Amino acid sequence: MATIFSRIIAGEIPSYKVAENDNFYAFLDINPLVKGHTLVVPKREVDYIFDLEDDELAQMHVFAKSVALAIQKAFPCKKVGEAVIGLEVPHAHIHLIPIQNESDMLFSNPKLSLTSDEFFSIAQSINKAWTEGQK
């Protein structure tokens, strides 16, 4: 059975996409720690990130870097933090989180409750910055 992320990539489940290429897909986390919290996933369904082939893992991080730079442009922050946990969904993924301090990365923090319009606006802002960065 396909993971929820594979179903999102296939368009079976809606998402707030911020970036995509042939191998990877980036979309907003629907339970964000902060505005701009984004997930980067490989289109190939692999449970554990370190089960990816070396070149695929490297390409995923290069793609994640381009998304992180777009997040930072859309949501000025000190840095964009990266976390790999991988227990909640059996599909490799990277969390990209705009941070002002270390505590912004605590997954035990309360999650934001955003409207569809807010999610759409955030995704649009990151996508615009990402698209400009690809030129």
Side-chain angles (χ1 to χ4, degrees), residues 60-87:
M60 185 174 177
H61 273 91
V62 170
F63 178 78
K65 177 183 176 181
S66 72
V67 174
L69 293 172
I71 291 169
Q72 195 165 22
K73 186 173 181 182
F75 293 91
C77 54
K78 287 185 179 176
K79 293 191 177 186
V80 174
E82 176 181 330
V84 175
I85 301 169
L87 296 175

Side-chain angles (χ1 to χ4, degrees), residues 9-124:
I9 294 163
E12 297 171 15
I13 297 173
S15 69
Y16 298 97
K17 178 173 75 171
V18 301
E20 178 179 20
N21 69 15
D22 291 341
N23 299 310
F24 306 102
Y25 191 89
F27 58 101
L28 296 181
D29 190 312
I30 59 167
N31 294 303
L33 291 171
V34 297
K35 288 183 179 182
H37 182 167
T38 300
L39 300 175
V40 172
V41 301
K43 289 185 176 179
R44 186 169 76 87
E45 191 173 298
V46 175
D47 177 10
Y48 185 44
I49 196 165
F50 296 120
D51 285 339
L52 291 168
E53 297 297 325
D54 290 350
D55 63 330
E56 190 176 16
L57 180 61
Q59 291 170 22
M60 185 174 177
H61 273 91
V62 170
F63 178 78
K65 177 183 176 181
S66 72
V67 174
L69 293 172
I71 291 169
Q72 195 165 22
K73 186 173 181 182
F75 293 91
C77 54
K78 287 185 179 176
K79 293 191 177 186
V80 174
E82 176 181 330
V84 175
I85 301 169
L87 296 175
E88 60 279 0
V89 177
H91 191 130
H93 58 286
I94 296 171
H95 292 263
L96 297 175
I97 303 166
I99 59 173
Q100 300 299 339
N101 54 60
E102 288 180 15
S103 64
D104 292 338
M105 291 286 295
L106 295 176
F107 282 79
S108 58
N109 286 346
K111 308 305 182 268
L112 296 181
S113 179
L114 303 173
T115 67
S116 292
D117 287 344
E118 288 174 305
F119 275 117
F120 181 78
S121 176
I122 292 166
Q124 198 172 37

